[in-house]
Amino acid sequence: QVQLVESGGGLVQAGGSLRISCVASGSIFSILDMRWYRQAPGKQRELVAVVTSGGSTNYADSGKGRFTISRDNAKNAVYLQMNSLKPEDTAVYYCNADLKAGGTIRDYWGRGTQVTVSS
Protein backbone atom coordinates (compact mmCIF):
# COMPACT_ATOMS: atom_id res chain seq x y z
CA GLN A 1 0.00 0.00 0.00
CA VAL A 2 1.41 3.34 -1.06
CA GLN A 3 1.43 6.28 1.31
CA LEU A 4 2.58 9.87 1.01
CA VAL A 5 3.28 11.53 4.33
CA GLU A 6 4.03 15.23 4.70
CA SER A 7 5.88 16.84 7.59
CA GLY A 8 7.51 20.10 8.58
CA GLY A 9 4.55 22.44 8.66
CA GLY A 10 4.04 24.91 11.45
CA LEU A 11 3.68 28.51 12.50
CA VAL A 12 6.16 31.07 11.20
CA GLN A 13 6.30 34.85 11.14
CA ALA A 14 6.02 36.78 7.92
CA GLY A 15 9.39 36.98 6.24
CA GLY A 16 10.49 33.69 7.73
CA SER A 17 11.32 30.36 6.15
CA LEU A 18 10.00 26.85 6.36
CA ARG A 19 10.89 23.57 4.71
CA ILE A 20 8.23 20.94 4.28
CA SER A 21 8.87 17.36 3.30
CA CYS A 22 6.97 14.45 1.84
CA VAL A 23 8.05 10.84 1.78
CA ALA A 24 6.45 8.12 -0.28
CA SER A 25 6.45 4.59 1.05
CA GLY A 26 5.11 1.21 0.03
CA SER A 27 5.58 -1.06 -2.94
CA ILE A 28 6.74 1.64 -5.33
CA PHE A 29 8.37 0.76 -8.61
CA SER A 30 9.08 4.30 -9.78
CA ILE A 31 8.04 7.88 -9.12
CA LEU A 32 7.38 10.27 -11.97
CA ASP A 33 6.35 13.88 -11.35
CA MET A 34 6.08 15.10 -7.76
CA ARG A 35 4.09 18.19 -6.83
CA TRP A 36 3.10 20.45 -4.00
CA TYR A 37 -0.40 21.87 -3.85
CA ARG A 38 -1.95 24.12 -1.25
CA GLN A 39 -5.44 24.96 -0.14
CA ALA A 40 -6.33 28.00 1.91
CA PRO A 41 -9.62 28.21 3.82
CA GLY A 42 -12.49 28.94 1.47
CA LYS A 43 -10.32 28.61 -1.62
CA GLN A 44 -9.70 25.96 -4.23
CA ARG A 45 -6.65 23.76 -4.09
CA GLU A 46 -3.90 25.21 -6.27
CA LEU A 47 -0.67 23.90 -7.69
CA VAL A 48 2.42 25.40 -6.06
CA ALA A 49 5.33 23.63 -7.71
CA VAL A 50 6.26 20.53 -9.66
CA VAL A 51 9.49 18.59 -10.14
CA THR A 52 9.82 15.94 -12.82
CA SER A 53 11.69 12.66 -12.53
CA GLY A 54 14.51 14.33 -14.45
CA GLY A 55 14.70 17.22 -12.03
CA SER A 56 13.02 19.93 -14.07
CA THR A 57 10.97 22.32 -11.97
CA ASN A 58 8.10 24.70 -12.50
CA TYR A 59 6.39 27.10 -10.13
CA ALA A 60 3.16 28.97 -9.80
CA ASP A 61 3.63 32.73 -10.03
CA SER A 62 2.82 33.04 -6.32
CA GLY A 63 5.96 31.17 -5.34
CA LYS A 64 8.46 32.12 -8.01
CA GLY A 65 11.65 33.46 -6.50
CA ARG A 66 10.62 32.44 -2.98
CA PHE A 67 9.93 28.69 -3.13
CA THR A 68 12.24 25.89 -4.21
CA ILE A 69 11.06 22.37 -4.89
CA SER A 70 13.55 19.51 -4.83
CA ARG A 71 13.52 15.75 -4.61
CA ASP A 72 15.68 12.93 -3.34
CA ASN A 73 14.97 9.89 -5.47
CA ALA A 74 16.90 7.59 -3.15
CA LYS A 75 14.56 8.52 -0.32
CA ASN A 76 11.37 8.79 -2.41
CA ALA A 77 11.08 12.28 -1.02
CA VAL A 78 10.12 15.72 -2.23
CA TYR A 79 10.77 18.98 -0.41
CA LEU A 80 9.52 22.53 -0.59
CA GLN A 81 11.77 25.25 0.76
CA MET A 82 9.72 28.37 1.36
CA ASN A 83 11.43 31.70 2.00
CA SER A 84 10.12 35.22 2.54
CA LEU A 85 6.81 33.78 3.63
CA LYS A 86 3.71 35.95 3.54
CA PRO A 87 0.42 35.63 5.44
CA GLU A 88 -1.25 34.73 2.14
CA ASP A 89 0.91 31.60 2.01
CA THR A 90 -1.12 30.24 4.92
CA ALA A 91 -2.71 27.00 3.77
CA VAL A 92 -2.66 23.25 4.05
CA TYR A 93 0.10 22.01 1.78
CA TYR A 94 -0.43 18.69 0.04
CA CYS A 95 2.07 16.40 -1.60
CA ASN A 96 1.02 14.72 -4.85
CA ALA A 97 2.96 12.25 -6.95
CA ASP A 98 2.50 10.18 -10.07
CA LEU A 99 3.98 6.82 -9.36
CA LYS A 100 4.03 3.28 -10.62
CA ALA A 101 3.00 0.66 -8.11
CA GLY A 102 1.45 -2.75 -8.59
CA GLY A 103 1.83 -2.49 -12.34
CA THR A 104 -0.23 0.66 -12.71
CA ILE A 105 0.54 4.39 -12.83
CA ARG A 106 -1.69 6.77 -10.94
CA ASP A 107 -1.40 9.79 -8.73
CA TYR A 108 -1.38 9.68 -4.95
CA TRP A 109 -2.04 12.36 -2.35
CA GLY A 110 -0.79 12.96 1.13
CA ARG A 111 -3.04 14.19 3.93
CA GLY A 112 -1.45 17.59 4.11
CA THR A 113 0.58 19.69 6.50
CA GLN A 114 -0.58 23.04 7.87
CA VAL A 115 1.53 26.11 7.23
CA THR A 116 0.51 29.26 9.06
CA VAL A 117 2.24 32.58 8.48
CA SER A 118 1.53 35.29 11.02
CA SER A 119 1.73 38.97 10.17
Side-chain angles (χ1 to χ4, degrees), residues 1 20 24 40-41 46 49 55 67 73 75 85 90-91 95-99 108 111:
Q1 187 174 354
I20 56 178
E46 63 176 2
F67 294 176
N73 292 329
K75 296 181 179 179
L85 282 161
T90 295
C95 174
N96 170 262
D98 296 332
L99 59 86
Y108 291 81
R111 293 188 174 187

Side-chain angles (χ1 to χ4, degrees), residues 2-108:
V2 175
Q3 280 190 315
L4 270 61
V5 179
E6 301 96 337
S7 62
L11 174 64
V12 63
Q13 288 189 331
S17 298
L18 204 61
R19 187 193 194 215
I20 56 178
S21 304
C22 171
V23 177
S25 63
S27 300
I28 299 169
F29 180 78
S30 61
I31 303 179
L32 308 175
D33 292 357
M34 303 185 83
R35 307 172 192 88
W36 285 101
Y37 284 80
R38 68 184 183 186
Q39 187 167 20
K43 294 189 177 181
Q44 287 189 329
R45 192 171 297 189
E46 63 176 2
L47 179 65
V48 175
V50 60
V51 58
T52 69
S53 57
S56 297
T57 59
N58 205 0
Y59 299 90
D61 288 344
S62 58
K64 282 182 180 177
R66 300 188 300 125
F67 294 176
T68 302
I69 188 171
S70 61
R71 62 191 286 169
D72 184 334
N73 292 329
K75 296 181 179 179
N76 288 343
V78 62
Y79 309 98
L80 187 67
Q81 175 69 43
M82 301 181 288
N83 300 326
S84 302
L85 282 161
K86 306 174 183 179
E88 51 263 45
D89 294 318
T90 295
V92 178
Y93 283 71
Y94 296 92
C95 174
N96 170 262
D98 296 332
L99 59 86
K100 185 175 182 179
T104 61
I105 298 175
R106 50 156 286 196
D107 73 320
Y108 291 81

